Amino acid sequence: MTSALTERARELDVLHAATDFRGRFRLPAGVIYLDGNSLGALPQGVAEAVADVVHRQWGNDLIASWNDAGWWQAPARVGDAIGALIGAAPGQVVCTDSTSVNLYKAVVAAARMRPGRRVVLTDPDSFPTDLYVTDAAARDAGLVVERVSPADAVARIAQVGDDLVLASYSSVDYRTGELWDLAEITRAAHEVGALACWDLCHSAGVLDVGLDEHGADLAVGCGYKYLNGGPGAPAFIYVAHRHQDDFDQPLSGWNGHATPFAMAPHFVPAPGITRARVGTPPLMGMLALEAALKAYDGVDPAAARERSLSLTGFFLECLDVLVPELDVATPREDARRGSQVSVRHPQAYAVVQALIARGVVGDFRESDIVRLGFAPLYLTHGDVLAAAEHLRAVIEGRAFEREQFTTRATVT
Amino acid sequence: MTSALTERARELDVLHAATDFRGRFRLPAGVIYLDGNSLGALPQGVAEAVADVVHRQWGNDLIASWNDAGWWQAPARVGDAIGALIGAAPGQVVCTDSTSVNLYKAVVAAARMRPGRRVVLTDPDSFPTDLYVTDAAARDAGLVVERVSPADAVARIAQVGDDLVLASYSSVDYRTGELWDLAEITRAAHEVGALACWDLCHSAGVLDVGLDEHGADLAVGCGYKYLNGGPGAPAFIYVAHRHQDDFDQPLSGWNGHATPFAMAPHFVPAPGITRARVGTPPLMGMLALEAALKAYDGVDPAAARERSLSLTGFFLECLDVLVPELDVATPREDARRGSQVSVRHPQAYAVVQALIARGVVGDFRESDIVRLGFAPLYLTHGDVLAAAEHLRAVIEGRAFEREQFTTRATVT
């Protein structure tokens, strides 16, 4: 059975050889890294780019780099590079702040774009910061938040009708990896005259998101997961061209001003996506992210998606053969699956620790999820099979019962 | 005359030898850097620290670094290190977001701490982002902003009385370098039951700010000026211990939650200053800032202030001798002077460019200000004299009239 899987892994790796970009990353030896949906691996060239920022741009050229090294334009430049991976034409994405801060801007701005309406829909199973920030923005903007599963969103949107401001959803569930229908929910929101905002944290870089194609209004996401921008890399925000003139966000800092160096006494928002900027951008992380995005040079989002589906599909195939009793939380249909496979286990935390001890790095999510992310650029079908074999060994050998894996760390 | 100044520069450098920390910085050869109030110079050890973050912490150890490298605790750790420079006992400062975002939090939170009151005072000559963000926060929180010079603040505070929410001022005027009386304005605000918030962008690292000593309530500031954290280094926010339980800020992201990894459905603010955190911190820039702050190891804020006053005082002395006709915008009294000397000139932009061409890097600020910042750690009295001589040469030689200096760049 395993030899058949070995053969199949080999065949799939040959079939997908054109999208094997492992050579563009520096991964530690002996590790199968299935946590690129928490912190992406280090791409080649980033260390050199960061050293150049520190030594030459900062240390030697000092403030002249605002012009000479293009620092001032970095948020727009990096935004456009991210835009290319999420189906956004240039001028609609800017790299700035954190996902949380950007979502706050989006929700408050949406309320101002739909005055008189009161309801925001969001997913009760969203990543918590989305829930907290949506609640906070709604409180500040006088809205009511209804937590409705994306599975029921289309029906509920129709019921709420012209009281709906915004349907705000994650494209992929961070725990189960379920992929929601961005096009369908967006269309439903538009039918009642509302807006749709998408959190792309678990989508950018691995899905053919198609924001423009599907008429999305607003989107946010982070730079440190599949985009590989490094720890705490700055986030991004997308505002569709047609909404930019009306995008009135609450954090009106000087970087979003029409004439920032005129030191004008009153705020006049810049034309275009620039108005979503706030303060001085975190350049060290942003320029690291810019260098990291080169790992995607020449990679079409559709090709990344195809490889991702092949990897996760093959992992499910391996699990069916090797550990068929496992409770898989991720949908098996391609159209409903992001770039991860999560399994439920009563001792999920210990299972994750035992896997890490064997060199397979995934993560644990409350309360019973073993979450394994498949970054398409640097994983092979051979890695996928090896990970499944380690998972079987951990489960069958009951490695998770060993003492050292039973204490929960505060973070992973 | 000049030889007397040369002798005096030498004497002063001997007198202040104990606070000469130029060896802790990597400055380009041939440059007298008077723009540390825009972007601080590169301290020794930062490049190595950043390389370690990239190669080992990120590239090799990957997500394990959240625990093993102390990433999660970085905002508190760096916050406390900054706190030591601004007179804040541990647990009151956190490193997070940008100054603009932090000021938004502070103003909205202040409104919630003083319900029923309506007025915020701020300086019409504040750095524009402070004006824009204060206006935006006031709009969102239902407040009215009155722009009143800090020179008139104490009187106006008494008039506004129990309708005052907040006196929000910069400790140092970013253009003229005038230092305002933090203790006095804070006291006046407290007398009417209001709060005081201080922008320390031009103070942290060069003044003996004494937040705790003077009873300040809130403060914000950036990491990339005199703290030398590098381009776009993350900012900080101070909330005095006594206010932390009531500090209800609008950007309630998961990093500010009491139990961030429990993935709880509703926001419960963390105890202490942690509630001022929002999203995943920009670690690359934050860890660079942490390394940069080592340049202040063993340097008491009072000692930095003493050296700063000596440098700026000597610069004024040099100007009086060498270019007595210059219009100095910065107060001559020590108690009213920050760490910069600004001069007004009808062709200020061209003067700055001509100085830069001679290796003296300062900056231009609308409309007629030549702004020269004196970072005490890496400048000597010899540098100060040389800068004054270059300024005389530029002014007397009318170097600023040369064609190449008459076009304004978009950024400096």
Side-chain angles (χ1 to χ4, degrees):
Chain A
M1 208 64 119
T2 297
S3 73
L5 288 173
T6 306
E7 186 50 35
R8 178 131 170 79
R10 205 172 289 135
E11 284 169 13
L12 287 168
D13 278 332
V14 170
L15 190 65
H16 292 273
T19 51
D20 179 352
F21 295 105
R22 191 188 191 102
R24 295 186 178 182
F25 292 84
R26 292 186 196 167
L27 284 153
V31 166
I32 297 174
Y33 191 61
L34 305 183
D35 217 355
N37 48 343
S38 181
L39 173 67
L42 171 64
Q44 300 283 4
V46 170
E48 294 76 5
V50 170
D52 181 64
V53 172
V54 175
H55 285 284
R56 184 179 62 86
Q57 298 180 33
W58 171 16
N60 197 69
D61 298 347
L62 293 156
I63 53 146
S65 289
W66 277 105
N67 286 319
D68 300 348
W71 284 355
W72 185 260
Q73 294 77 20
R77 211 167 55 228
V78 179
D80 281 345
I82 294 168
L85 297 177
I86 55 178
Q92 299 178 105
V93 178
V94 70
C95 183
T96 179
D97 301 296
S98 66
T99 307
S100 300
V101 169
N102 288 334
L103 185 60
Y104 186 86
K105 297 174 196 169
V107 177
V108 174
R112 293 173 179 171
M113 289 156 77
R114 292 293 180 270
R117 294 172 174 235
R118 290 175 314 157
V119 178
V120 177
L121 296 191
T122 198
D123 183 356
D125 292 320
S126 236
F127 186 73
T129 212
D130 294 52
L131 296 173
Y132 307 155
V133 168
T134 304
D135 281 351
R139 164 190 175 192
D140 296 338
L143 305 179
V144 174
V145 179
E146 278 190 27
R147 295 186 180 182
V148 175
S149 166
D152 305 321
V154 170
R156 186 62 193 147
I157 286 169
Q159 288 166 350
V160 176
D162 63 11
D163 206 18
L164 187 70
V165 171
L166 181 71
S168 185
Y169 284 96
S170 281
S171 151
V172 172
D173 185 294
Y174 80 103
R175 264 184 296 221
T176 66
E178 180 152 9
L179 169 62
W180 302 105
D181 195 333
L182 182 149
E184 189 66 14
I185 293 174
T186 300
R187 193 178 311 121
H190 291 178
E191 268 166 26
V192 299
L195 303 168
C197 179
W198 293 94
D199 180 332
L200 303 179
C201 283
H202 290 269
S203 313
V206 293
L207 287 179
D208 192 6
V209 177
L211 288 180
D212 288 348
E213 181 191 345
H214 300 304
D217 303 292
L218 304 162
V220 299
C222 74
Y224 51 79
K225 295 182 188 282
Y226 295 118
L227 300 183
N228 310 301
F236 62 88
I237 180 166
Y238 161 92
V239 180
H241 270 311
R242 65 187 177 283
H243 294 308
Q244 291 178 355
D245 287 349
D246 302 320
F247 187 75
D248 176 12
Q249 61 102 345
L251 298 164
S252 49
W254 73 299
N255 275 232
H257 197 283
T259 55
F261 293 94
M263 307 287 160
H266 293 284
F267 186 74
V268 178
I273 190 66
T274 302
R275 64 179 58 191
R277 289 176 62 171
V278 186
T280 302
L283 284 158
M284 202 88 79
M286 196 171 290
L287 298 170
L289 171 56
E290 181 168 36
L293 289 170
K294 293 193 176 133
Y296 277 96
D297 273 358
V299 183
D300 190 78
R305 169 65 169 159
E306 192 185 330
R307 185 178 180 91
S308 158
L309 278 177
S310 181
L311 292 168
T312 52
F314 181 55
F315 188 66
L316 289 166
E317 213 178 304
C318 293
L319 293 186
D320 286 345
V321 173
L322 300 171
V323 241
E325 71 280 12
L326 263 191
D327 178 5
V328 175
T330 307
R332 287 168 178 275
E333 296 163 55
D334 280 4
R336 293 180 53 216
R337 193 169 74 243
S339 199
Q340 78 190 57
V341 174
S342 295
V343 300
R344 294 188 192 280
H345 192 281
Q347 287 174 275
Y349 178 77
V351 168
V352 168
Q353 294 306 104
L355 280 171
I356 290 172
R358 300 177 70 100
V360 179
V361 180
D363 61 24
F364 162 75
R365 282 294 175 267
E366 292 282 358
S367 61
D368 62 353
I369 294 272
V370 177
R371 189 177 76 159
L372 306 171
F374 294 82
L377 265 53
Y378 51 79
L379 292 170
T380 64
H381 298 81
D383 294 329
V384 163
L385 172 56
E389 286 171 335
H390 281 293
L391 183 56
R392 177 181 61 176
V394 165
I395 300 287
E396 289 188 355
R398 305 191 71 75
F400 52 83
E401 289 180 345
R402 276 183 257 154
E403 173 79 49
Q404 66 265 40
F405 300 131
T406 55
T407 313
R408 288 188 185 180
T410 49
V411 189
T412 46
Chain B
M1 208 64 118
T2 298
S3 73
L5 288 173
T6 305
E7 185 51 36
R8 177 129 171 82
R10 204 173 290 133
E11 283 169 13
L12 287 168
D13 278 330
V14 170
L15 191 65
H16 291 273
T19 51
D20 180 352
F21 295 105
R22 191 188 190 100
R24 294 185 179 184
F25 292 83
R26 293 188 197 167
L27 283 153
V31 166
I32 297 174
Y33 192 60
L34 305 184
D35 216 357
N37 48 344
S38 180
L39 173 68
L42 171 64
Q44 301 283 4
V46 170
E48 295 75 5
V50 170
D52 181 63
V53 171
V54 175
H55 285 284
R56 183 180 62 86
Q57 298 180 32
W58 172 15
N60 197 68
D61 298 348
L62 292 156
I63 52 148
S65 290
W66 277 105
N67 287 319
D68 299 349
W71 285 354
W72 186 260
Q73 293 77 22
R77 210 168 56 229
V78 179
D80 281 345
I82 294 168
L85 297 177
I86 54 178
Q92 299 178 106
V93 179
V94 70
C95 182
T96 181
D97 300 296
S98 64
T99 307
S100 300
V101 170
N102 287 335
L103 184 61
Y104 186 86
K105 298 174 195 169
V107 177
V108 174
R112 293 174 179 171
M113 289 155 77
R114 292 293 181 270
R117 294 171 174 235
R118 292 175 312 156
V119 178
V120 177
L121 296 190
T122 197
D123 182 356
D125 292 320
S126 235
F127 187 72
T129 212
D130 293 52
L131 296 173
Y132 308 154
V133 168
T134 304
D135 280 350
R139 164 190 174 191
D140 296 338
L143 306 179
V144 174
V145 179
E146 276 191 27
R147 295 185 179 182
V148 175
S149 165
D152 305 320
V154 169
R156 185 63 192 147
I157 287 169
Q159 287 165 350
V160 175
D162 63 10
D163 206 16
L164 186 70
V165 172
L166 181 70
S168 186
Y169 284 97
S170 280
S171 152
V172 172
D173 185 294
Y174 79 104
R175 266 186 293 222
T176 65
E178 178 151 9
L179 168 62
W180 302 105
D181 195 334
L182 183 149
E184 188 66 14
I185 293 174
T186 300
R187 194 179 309 120
H190 291 179
E191 269 168 25
V192 299
L195 303 168
C197 178
W198 292 93
D199 180 333
L200 304 179
C201 283
H202 289 268
S203 314
V206 293
L207 287 180
D208 193 5
V209 178
L211 288 180
D212 287 350
E213 181 190 346
H214 300 303
D217 303 290
L218 304 162
V220 300
C222 75
Y224 51 78
K225 295 181 189 285
Y226 296 117
L227 299 183
N228 310 301
F236 62 87
I237 180 167
Y238 162 92
V239 181
H241 271 310
R242 66 188 177 282
H243 294 307
Q244 290 178 354
D245 287 349
D246 302 320
F247 187 75
D248 176 11
Q249 61 102 343
L251 298 165
S252 48
W254 74 298
N255 275 232
H257 197 283
T259 56
F261 294 95
M263 306 289 159
H266 294 284
F267 186 75
V268 178
I273 189 66
T274 302
R275 64 179 58 194
R277 287 177 63 170
V278 187
T280 302
L283 283 158
M284 202 87 79
M286 196 173 290
L287 298 170
L289 172 56
E290 181 168 36
L293 289 170
K294 293 192 176 135
Y296 277 95
D297 272 359
V299 184
D300 191 76
R305 169 66 168 159
E306 190 185 332
R307 185 178 180 91
S308 157
L309 278 177
S310 181
L311 292 169
T312 52
F314 181 55
F315 187 66
L316 289 167
E317 211 177 306
C318 292
L319 293 186
D320 286 344
V321 174
L322 300 172
V323 239
E325 71 281 13
L326 263 191
D327 179 6
V328 175
T330 306
R332 287 168 179 275
E333 296 163 54
D334 281 4
R336 292 180 53 216
R337 192 169 73 244
S339 199
Q340 76 189 59
V341 174
S342 295
V343 301
R344 294 187 192 279
H345 190 281
Q347 285 173 275
Y349 178 77
V351 168
V352 168
Q353 294 306 102
L355 281 171
I356 290 173
R358 301 176 72 98
V360 179
V361 181
D363 61 23
F364 161 75
R365 283 295 176 265
E366 292 282 359
S367 59
D368 62 353
I369 293 272
V370 176
R371 189 177 76 160
L372 305 171
F374 294 82
L377 265 53
Y378 52 79
L379 291 170
T380 64
H381 298 81
D383 294 329
V384 162
L385 172 57
E389 285 171 337
H390 281 293
L391 183 55
R392 176 180 61 176
V394 165
I395 300 286
E396 290 189 354
R398 305 191 72 75
F400 52 83
E401 288 178 348
R402 274 182 259 154
E403 173 78 50
Q404 67 265 40
F405 300 131
T406 55
T407 314
R408 287 185 185 181
T410 49
V411 189
T412 44

